[in-house]
Amino acid sequence: MASFSFRAGNAGKLLRIPLYLLGRLGTLIVPRGRGWVIGCGAGIGDGALALWRTAVDAGLDPLWLTGSAREQSDASALGIRAVPKDGLRGWWATARAGVVVVTHGFGDANRYATSGAFLVQLWHGIPLKRIGLDSPATVQSAFLPGFVPLQKLLGMLYRAQTRRIHVLPAASDRSRGRLESAFALGVRQVLVTGEPRVDVLSTGDASSRRSQASALRDAAVGPLPDGARAVLYAPTWRDGAPDPAVPDDAEWARILSVLERTNSVLLVRSHPLGEGEYRPPVPTDRVRAIGSAVVADITPVLPAIDVLVTDYSSMAYDVGLLAMPVIYLAPDPVAYARTRGFYGDYAEVSGPDPAADWTAASAQLEATLGDDTEFGRRAGLSRELSARMHAHRDGRNTARVLAAILDRTGGSATVPAPSTPAPKGTE
């Protein structure tokens, strides 16, 4: 069920304006040092964890800002120095930091203490659906919905925030153009370094990546049956609206039949901001949940996945680094394009045959898993899409981002060399 929407989030921001003003006054008084704080809207993971590790290897000591008891526990397990982002300790840590790193929004740190810091926005995916100022959803509010002056005010506030960003990594020139438009930034801020969060998909050899990812997958959902292949279903966020792709009983019957015939397991990762009810009507071990409550960051698990099923998720761009076949299940592309919007034509990503429902998607899945030629065709399309959207596939994205930050902040740390060589053909 839906748990968050832009309307509700923007209403909360309007109510918090006095707190933002007080925080701004505080940051004018408290001197900033040269330390770092890092926060991530997805928990202890994503590009934030990759940057934390590389920064530590370079001799830095970033402080992680956590948003829950689980994040605090996860940080402790990894030996990460951390404090809760909310409250006085989080405000003080953010206000004193010279560098503030986030992946989703300024609320990944203490939102009231970011003014005056060197802000790094790692973001969390190559935009397929429109984001930021390019999406009408960004300026909607639960207060006076449709009231144009309020929408203009929210747009002004959004620009005032995003223009404080100093570094925003982009995967490619094509992605950079989208990010510049969405965040009202220019080429000075948006750098084609590659995204830190996907280095794990390019570092080392394919066999090692598969082995490590399989261990993570099995620890999360349990071992798969002998010889079984893993299918990941990852729908995108619906901004508080119901998920139109939840299967009915008849569709569940088709899905389970295909999974049995192909000896496959469907791993369902609903979006953490709007999880659908993906529960089969009968007991089965062929469908397992792998949501954010189970695995905070899915990217390190991707090398253990054989086929991706998604609608409008940017994950489709990422799995191309692994040449993974993708089946597009898009029940409402016309309506979604009208209300949220895409960058370019959705067919440029999905191809001419996106499935409109689980009946069609199940048939495509069975064809892909049961025919090596079809599997190879879809893998080739995935590889081609990735080549268009990822300029760097050498496992050095994080190092380039760290080097850019140090260059602009006058840092003296040495960027470490990669711990393992990049696979052949990715230099």
Side-chain angles (χ1 to χ4, degrees):
M1 58 178 59
S3 57
F4 180 82
S5 70
F6 273 119
R7 292 178 184 270
N10 285 335
K13 289 177 183 177
L14 292 172
L15 290 173
R16 291 193 297 266
I17 286 178
L19 295 177
Y20 284 109
L21 295 175
L22 286 173
R24 176 66 177 131
L25 289 174
T27 57
L28 292 174
I29 299 171
V30 176
R32 289 195 178 274
R34 299 187 63 81
W36 288 38
V37 294
I38 294 179
C40 176
I44 311 299
D46 213 278
L49 183 57
L51 185 57
W52 179 87
R53 285 173 168 154
T54 304
V56 168
D57 289 344
L60 302 173
D61 187 25
L63 175 68
W64 198 288
L65 299 175
T66 60
S68 67
R70 175 193 171 179
E71 288 181 26
Q72 195 73 27
S73 176
D74 289 347
S76 177
L78 292 172
I80 298 175
R81 194 168 58 95
V83 299
K85 66 181 179 181
D86 297 323
L88 183 58
R89 292 178 68 193
W91 184 91
W92 180 257
T94 306
R96 289 285 291 133
V99 176
V100 175
V101 180
V102 298
T103 60
H104 289 64
F106 294 169
D108 294 351
N110 187 289
R111 66 179 74 245
Y112 308 115
T114 58
S115 296
F118 185 93
L119 286 164
V120 180
Q121 168 58 281
L122 298 178
W123 202 235
H124 49 279
I126 299 173
L128 167 56
K129 54 185 179 290
R130 290 186 175 272
I131 62 172
L133 294 168
D134 293 335
S135 171
T138 302
V139 295
Q140 300 299 320
S141 172
F143 293 152
L144 301 174
F147 187 52
V148 174
L150 183 57
Q151 293 175 2
K152 290 184 176 180
L153 173 62
L154 287 167
M156 291 173 57
L157 293 174
Y158 190 87
R159 285 184 178 87
Q161 283 192 314
T162 59
R163 284 173 178 166
R164 291 159 44 207
I165 295 170
H166 293 82
V167 168
L168 199 167
S172 61
D173 284 322
R174 182 175 295 191
S175 179
R176 178 176 66 182
R178 298 174 183 182
L179 293 169
E180 287 175 353
S181 176
F183 289 93
L185 298 172
V187 294
R188 170 70 181 164
Q189 294 81 29
V190 186
L191 311 177
V192 183
T193 57
E195 299 176 316
R197 64 187 185 82
V198 297
D199 273 346
V200 68
L201 304 181
S202 300
T203 304
D205 63 87
S207 177
S208 296
R209 289 195 298 264
R210 177 82 178 188
S211 177
Q212 293 168 8
S214 295
L216 292 174
R217 181 199 65 200
D218 291 353
V221 301
L224 273 57
D226 289 344
R229 286 174 287 186
V231 179
L232 178 65
Y233 175 54
T236 195
W237 179 38
R238 292 286 173 166
D239 189 28
D243 187 340
V246 175
D248 59 25
D249 287 355
E251 288 174 319
W252 271 123
R254 293 187 182 94
I255 293 169
L256 295 177
S257 177
V258 168
L259 295 175
E260 289 288 348
R261 287 197 297 270
T262 59
N263 188 21
S264 303
V265 174
L266 180 67
L267 306 180
V268 178
R269 186 174 179 82
S270 296
H271 196 283
L273 292 181
E275 298 191 358
E277 298 293 335
Y278 285 92
R279 295 189 181 92
V282 296
T284 178
D285 198 37
R286 292 288 180 179
V287 179
R288 309 182 190 182
I290 193 168
S292 59
V294 179
V295 175
D297 184 3
I298 195 65
T299 306
V301 181
L302 292 180
I305 302 300
D306 297 287
V307 178
L308 172 68
V309 181
T310 190
D311 47 9
Y312 318 121
S313 172
S314 62
M315 199 181 296
Y317 293 130
D318 301 336
V319 299
L321 292 168
L322 305 168
M324 184 188 300
V326 181
I327 292 170
Y328 293 92
L329 169 55
D332 59 344
V334 175
Y336 197 85
R338 184 177 62 254
T339 57
R340 181 65 185 263
F342 297 109
Y343 289 102
D345 189 343
Y346 179 58
E348 295 175 359
V349 175
S350 68
D353 63 342
D357 52 35
W358 273 104
T359 299
S362 297
Q364 292 184 14
L365 178 61
E366 185 166 22
T368 301
L369 292 172
D371 185 332
D372 289 344
T373 300
E374 178 63 9
F375 189 98
R377 182 186 76 84
R378 288 188 180 270
L381 293 174
S382 178
R383 186 185 300 108
E384 292 172 7
L385 178 63
S386 173
R388 297 200 303 267
M389 299 306 298
H390 288 280
H392 300 287
R393 296 179 292 278
D394 58 0
R396 295 279 292 160
N397 298 346
T398 312
R400 280 185 285 270
V401 172
L402 178 59
I405 297 170
L406 295 174
D407 178 64
R408 296 187 179 194
T409 60
S412 58
T414 301
V415 179
S419 57
T420 54
K424 293 181 179 181
T426 62
E427 302 291 344

